[in-house]
Amino acid sequence: MDGTVLVADDDRTIRTVLTQALTRAGCKVHATSSLTTLMRWVAEGKGDVVISDVVMPDGNGLEMLPKIALDRPGLPVIVISAQNTIMTAIQAAEAEAYDYLPKPFDLPDLMKRTARALEKRNLTPRREERIEHADGPDELPLVGKTPAMQALYRLVARVMNTDLPVLICGESGTGKSLIARAVHDFSDRRNLPFVTVTSSDLSDLEGPARVLARVKGGTLLIDEITDFDDEVQARIVRMMDVPGEHLPRFMATSQTDLSQAMEDGHVRQDLYYRLGGATIFVPSLRERVEDIVLLTDHFLARTEREGGPKRWLSKDANELFRAYSWPGNVRQLENAVRRLSLTSRAEEITRPEVEAVLGNQPDTGPVLRGGDGEKLGTSVARHLRRYFDLHGNMLPPPGLYTRILREIEAPLIEIALDATGGNQAKCADLLGINRNTLRKKITDLDIRVTRRRKLM
């Protein structure tokens, strides 16, 4: 890499790591813990790329972006932040940041993004007008620090101000409608209506005209598109083809893989291709286990703000939350947390109290189709494709092979241990590996070994 990088972060360790890595890559580096110093460097014409934290001792890094754009048009700014919410990604996009990465960030990934910024620093056009921040809730319950959620945030930020139709896919309870609302509320159409339609709204010939009159050029959300029969889907196609300057933006949600639904005859081919402008896959809670504690704390804090008692989960209770499959996803988690907040006998919620609540949960089961009779390779390929799609036009962070193997090995060994009652000799024989190899993998993968009940 060739160029000068300005680094602003109040964490000395991060400044040191970035300085060393960028210097080894051939860059000159100026690092500071002060936004004031950073802005002075920018005003003096120093730097070809800026890497800045958001929360700094003397200000907010996002709030500096408009002034940087004014003083140095075209200067790429990469925002790094420990505030792992969709709001940070959206605000970074609205402030015209070149890129956004959550902390803890993957260093090789950040280096690649910096290299691209250096290559394109003179080619990136600026929008002439900034988007004023939309009025709305202070917080959106779309929080998460996992790579899957951070990639989703970046994709939302990229598509929110396009006119492309958006298809949002994911299991029930993952927050598909919430994401649709976020795309609308932070887009150029925020002051226009947001209208959700169901099949009954379009059941008669006059339905489409009434819906278009209601939405008035805003956003039209088609809720669970596979629930609409063929005749109603044909009306949606005609709505999308109506000529005019003030057409709404079309968005749709689906619990199923829409391409498979089209092949199965549940979705019209012409509608499928019209909705395929941009696809957002919302990961299930099982696919982002590391976010469960973060979401639990969020819901407990919100319940307390609404007048409920102060509560927190014990360590054992948190471990049980992480181990549970959450078939109802985030919606089920929120309901369980609210119930525990009200019924817990003390401020600390105990494991037995969690067991009692989760034991009474209805068995909703996974919603996505394709499990019955689906080959293992097909299922794995579907999940891998979704993982790649979540990163939009970017490649996933390096080290994918090792991460995927680890994700597959750990549950395989855990299930095999369950099936053999925790007998490691039988488990090793079942898996076809040496017992010492099994022991090493149990240690490396941090699998808790207890005497388990054999599965029937």
Side-chain angles (χ1 to χ4, degrees), residues 259-396:
S259 62
Q260 185 63 50
M262 181 186 69
E263 292 179 9
D264 295 341
H266 298 297
V267 173
R268 291 172 60 99
Q269 188 178 58
D270 51 2
L271 178 58
Y272 170 77
Y273 288 117
R274 281 168 174 78
L275 289 173
T279 302
I280 298 175
F281 290 99
V282 188
S284 67
L285 207 48
R286 298 184 302 282
E287 295 172 284
R288 52 185 191 112
V289 174
E290 297 304 316
D291 288 334
I292 290 176
V293 172
L294 192 66
L295 284 162
T296 300
D297 291 342
H298 172 86
F299 291 133
L300 287 170
R302 189 165 72 180
T303 301
E304 184 181 350
R305 288 197 303 271
E306 293 171 353
K310 183 178 180 62
R311 293 283 188 267
W312 62 84
L313 264 65
S314 68
K315 182 178 179 181
D316 287 345
N318 261 321
E319 289 179 354
L320 184 56
F321 259 39
R322 286 169 51 86
Y324 187 64
S325 63
W326 299 109
N329 291 295
V330 179
R331 185 182 297 121
Q332 183 188 11
L333 173 65
E334 180 179 12
N335 291 336
V337 170
R338 284 185 176 274
R339 180 174 174 182
L340 285 163
S341 180
L342 295 174
T343 60
S344 178
R345 297 184 183 89
E347 289 185 334
E348 184 174 79
I349 299 171
T350 65
R351 183 185 178 99
E353 289 174 324
V354 171
E355 289 174 341
V357 168
L358 296 184
N360 291 326
Q361 294 290 312
D363 184 15
T364 57
V367 182
L368 281 178
R369 295 179 182 173
D372 296 336
E374 184 178 57
K375 293 182 179 179
L376 177 61
T378 303
S379 177
V380 171
R382 176 162 52 82
H383 285 285
L384 288 174
R385 173 54 56 192
R386 183 187 305 172
Y387 178 74
F388 272 82
D389 288 341
L390 280 169
H391 288 79
N393 296 326
M394 302 293 296
L395 290 174

Side-chain angles (χ1 to χ4, degrees), residues 35-178:
L35 280 178
T36 302
T37 302
L38 171 66
M39 296 307 295
R40 176 169 55 81
W41 288 342
V42 170
E44 292 172 353
K46 294 180 179 177
D48 300 303
V49 172
V50 174
I51 300 175
S52 177
D53 194 4
V54 174
V55 179
M56 298 281 281
D58 55 345
N60 183 297
L62 289 176
E63 295 174 357
M64 297 295 106
L65 291 182
K67 185 170 183 357
I68 292 175
L70 184 63
D71 292 346
R72 298 276 301 282
L75 178 63
V77 181
I78 299 174
V79 173
I80 55 177
S81 173
Q83 295 180 314
N84 300 306
T85 72
I86 193 172
M87 290 295 296
T88 308
I90 289 175
Q91 288 169 352
E94 288 185 341
E96 300 176 341
Y98 174 80
D99 212 336
Y100 158 74
L101 279 174
K103 290 182 178 180
F105 52 81
D106 182 84
L107 182 58
D109 185 31
L110 177 57
M111 295 293 287
K112 285 184 178 180
R113 293 170 190 262
T114 304
R116 282 195 291 268
L118 285 168
E119 291 172 2
K120 299 178 180 179
R121 59 187 179 270
N122 296 320
L123 303 176
T124 305
R126 289 183 60 228
R127 289 186 298 174
E128 294 181 359
E129 297 180 0
R130 288 192 67 248
I131 303 167
E132 296 301 323
H133 197 282
D135 292 332
D138 294 332
E139 295 180 81
L140 290 173
L142 290 169
V143 296
K145 63 182 180 181
T146 53
M149 286 303 291
Q150 293 298 325
L152 185 149
Y153 297 161
R154 289 194 291 272
L155 182 56
V156 167
R158 284 200 296 270
V159 306
M160 66 183 180
N161 281 319
T162 69
D163 291 327
L164 289 173
V166 176
L167 175 64
I168 305 172
C169 298
E171 296 181 10
S172 177
T174 51
K176 298 185 296 296
S177 297
L178 194 64

